[in-house]
Amino acid sequence: MEILSLGRMPIANAFISAVEKKEYFYDLSVAFCPECLMVQLRDCVPPEMMFNEDYAYFSSISKAMEEHFREMADEIADTVSGKPSPFIVELGCNDGIMLKHISRRGIRHLGIEPSANVAAEAARNGVNVIGKFFNAETAREIRNEYGPADVICGANVMCHIEDINSVFEGAELLLRDDGVLFFEDPYLYDILRYNSFDQIYDEHVYYYSGLSVSRLARRHRLMLFDMKPQDVHGGSMRYYIRKDSAESVSDAVKVHLKNEQNANLHTMEGYRGFQEKVDRVCSDLKNCLLDIRKKGGRVVGYGATSKSTTLLNYANIGPSLIDYISDTTPTKIGKFTPGTHIPIRSYSAFQTGFSPYTLLLAWNHRSEILAKEKEYRRKGGRFITFFPELYIE
Ligand code: DWN
Ligand code: SAH
C-alpha cells in the first residue's frame, strides 16, 4: 500500500561534472506492507549504479560522527573482551571510520565495502577490507575463510540492501552461536515524527522499526533482544539481534514496540497525512526562498547531502533560488547537484563570500555546524531549517 509518492528522482549521490550530462531517473515512492509491517521503496535502483568506485559519501566528514563511531568501537571491544581471538565483521565500513579503532586495538576484523574508493581509504586507515556486496553467498565465503563472527555490525547499511533476506540468512550463517548482530539506521518513528522525508531516497530501501525488524529477524531464526536510540542522522535506532534462544528481551524493546504501536505504525492509520505534511513543508520552503529572492536576498546551501537530492528535486529548487552549496568533500567540489544542477563549491567559498541566508541541507549535523559557524551568525547570517517545519535561526 502506497504511503508517499515523490515523483521522478535522479540517483541521490550522482553529483554530475557537467549539467548537460544525461542522468538516470526512477520513481521514488514508499509503500507499507500490512503483513510484515515493513516500510520500503517500491522501485529500487540497481546497487552497482549507486555503490561503486565513485561513491560520493565519505563517513569521516563530521567530527560528531567520528566520535559516535569511536564509541561504537569501544562498545564492541567491551563485548568481546575476554573471548579468545574474537572476530568482528562490519558491513558497509566505508572509509574505516569505526573499524580503524578495532584495527588499532589489534582485534581480528573484516570490513565488507563494495564502493572501491571508500574501501581504499579504509585500507589506508589500516582496516582489513574486501570489496564485495554482503549477502548469503559472501557470508559463506567469509565463514569458510575466517571462521564464525563474534560481532556482525553495520551503520546505515542494512537499510540500503534490497535483498535483505539474503543479508539476514548470511548473518545467521556467519554468526557464532553466542554472537551478536547489531545495526543502526534512520528510525521510522522519528522520520514520521519530525517529517524528515528527505531520508527517503534510492539508497534507503527500508525504513525500519522495531516491529518490522523483529519479524524480519524471526523469519531467519534470529531474535531482536535490545534497541538503543541513537542521536545521529536526525534520529536513528540501533537494533541488537542474536540467534533465537530462551533468553529474555530487554524492557527497551517492549517500550519501543509499544510506542510504535501507539503511533499506529502497524496499520495504514500511522501513515495518513504524511504526504500532506511533506507537501506543506516543501511549498513553505519554496515560498520562503522565492520571497528572499524577490527582496534581492541571496541564499546558499550548506552540505551537498544525499538527502537534499529528494528535497531539492521534489520542491523544485534549483540554481535560480540557491547560488551554490558549500561542501567539505573534495570529490563533490566543482560538481552539480543531481537533477537540480546547483553548483557545489568549497567551504572557503562559504567563508569568504558572505550570504545572508544559508539553507541547512546537512540538518542532521546542526549542532556541529552551528558551533562551527558562530562567526557567520554573529555577522548576521541566518540558517534556514525545515523540519518539522520551516524555521529561520
Ligand atoms: O545513509 C547514508 C548516510 C550515513 O550518509 C548514506 N546513504 C549517504 C550519506 O547520507 P548524506 O549524504 O545525507 O549524509 P550527511 O552526513 O548528512 O552528509 C553531510 C554532507 O555535508 C557531506 O557531504 C559533508 C558535508 N558537510 C560539510 O560540508 N560541512 C558536513 C559537515 C558536518 C560540515 O561541517
Ligand atoms: N557505515 C557508514 C557508511 C554508510 S553509507 C556510515 O554509517 O557512515 C552506506 C555504505 O554501505 C556505503 O559505503 C556502501 O558502499 C555500503 N554498502 C551498500 N550495499 C552494501 C552491501 N550489500 N554490503 C556491504 N556494504 C554495502
Side-chain angles (χ1 to χ4, degrees), residues 236-301:
S236 294
M237 183 58 80
R238 189 178 291 170
Y239 305 91
Y240 292 81
I241 288 171
R242 64 180 164 222
K243 293 203 172 177
D244 214 349
S245 69
E247 284 179 69
S248 62
V249 165
S250 76
D251 287 343
V253 172
K254 292 170 195 156
V255 168
H256 292 300
L257 292 191
K258 188 95 195 99
N259 286 345
E260 292 174 13
Q261 238 146 8
N262 288 343
N264 274 317
L265 299 192
H266 60 307
T267 71
M268 270 304 274
E269 196 47 41
Y271 307 96
R272 252 180 255 295
F274 189 25
Q275 181 89 51
E276 287 72 22
K277 277 205 261 172
V278 168
D279 290 351
R280 192 172 334 115
V281 84
C282 284
S283 90
D284 288 353
L285 175 60
K286 179 114 189 227
N287 288 336
C288 163
L289 298 177
L290 281 166
D291 202 43
I292 293 172
R293 259 299 193 254
K294 229 187 294 161
K295 292 178 183 144
R298 283 179 53 227
V299 184
V300 299

Side-chain angles (χ1 to χ4, degrees), residues 110-386:
L110 185 66
I112 322 295
E113 179 46 73
S115 299
N117 57 342
V118 292
E121 187 63 22
R124 278 193 286 276
N125 282 324
V127 170
N128 189 21
V129 56
I130 54 165
K132 291 202 165 172
F133 286 94
F134 186 84
N135 53 31
E137 193 189 322
T138 330
R140 208 166 287 119
E141 287 167 15
I142 298 170
R143 173 133 194 166
N144 288 342
E145 194 175 335
Y146 298 84
D150 295 273
V151 173
I152 302 176
C153 60
N156 307 298
V157 59
M158 287 296 193
C159 73
H160 291 58
I161 311 176
E162 185 181 357
D163 194 355
I164 196 64
N165 284 313
S166 178
V167 170
F168 269 65
E169 186 189 327
E172 203 272 334
L173 222 135
L174 179 58
L175 201 61
R176 197 185 284 285
D177 284 346
D178 63 350
V180 178
L181 159 68
F182 76 82
F183 63 92
E184 64 189 47
D185 282 302
Y187 186 33
L188 176 65
Y189 185 90
D190 289 332
I191 294 176
L192 292 165
R193 184 158 61 134
Y194 302 127
N195 192 30
S196 49
F197 76 95
D198 63 353
Q199 287 290 4
I200 298 167
Y201 55 91
D202 50 5
E203 292 184 23
H204 291 177
V205 178
Y206 296 102
Y207 305 88
Y208 294 127
S209 60
L211 290 167
S212 59
V213 169
S214 60
R215 276 173 174 71
L216 173 62
R218 242 183 280 143
R219 271 210 302 284
H220 296 277
R221 287 171 289 134
L222 296 165
M223 187 177 76
L224 173 68
F225 71 91
D226 203 5
M227 288 168 73
K228 290 186 192 164
Q230 304 294 316
D231 191 15
V232 292
H233 290 301
S236 294
M237 183 58 80
R238 189 178 291 170
Y239 305 91
Y240 292 81
I241 288 171
R242 64 180 164 222
K243 293 203 172 177
D244 214 349
S245 69
E247 284 179 69
S248 62
V249 165
S250 76
D251 287 343
V253 172
K254 292 170 195 156
V255 168
H256 292 300
L257 292 191
K258 188 95 195 99
N259 286 345
E260 292 174 13
Q261 238 146 8
N262 288 343
N264 274 317
L265 299 192
H266 60 307
T267 71
M268 270 304 274
E269 196 47 41
Y271 307 96
R272 252 180 255 295
F274 189 25
Q275 181 89 51
E276 287 72 22
K277 277 205 261 172
V278 168
D279 290 351
R280 192 172 334 115
V281 84
C282 284
S283 90
D284 288 353
L285 175 60
K286 179 114 189 227
N287 288 336
C288 163
L289 298 177
L290 281 166
D291 202 43
I292 293 172
R293 259 299 193 254
K294 229 187 294 161
K295 292 178 183 144
R298 283 179 53 227
V299 184
V300 299
Y302 202 111
T305 59
S306 332
K307 293 180 286 291
S308 56
T309 297
T310 295
L311 176 80
L312 299 172
N313 279 275
Y314 188 58
N316 192 16
I317 295 169
S320 64
L321 292 175
I322 297 192
D323 290 358
Y324 68 87
I325 299 174
S326 152
D327 200 286
T328 49
T329 315
T331 53
K332 292 183 185 175
I333 296 164
K335 293 191 177 156
F336 300 86
T337 55
T340 46
H341 305 168
I342 301 170
I344 300 164
R345 302 234 170 99
S346 64
Y347 178 49
S348 64
F350 177 81
Q351 285 174 305
T352 50
F354 178 82
S355 157
Y357 292 97
T358 298
L359 182 59
L360 187 57
L361 297 166
W363 55 268
N364 45 313
H365 301 297
R366 181 176 170 277
S367 314
E368 181 176 343
I369 292 170
L370 259 51
K372 195 159 106 182
E373 302 306 344
K374 283 204 182 97
E375 182 58 16
Y376 170 72
R377 292 175 81 205
R378 204 193 48 76
K379 285 195 288 190
R382 299 179 79 188
F383 280 100
I384 305 173
T385 54
F386 36 87

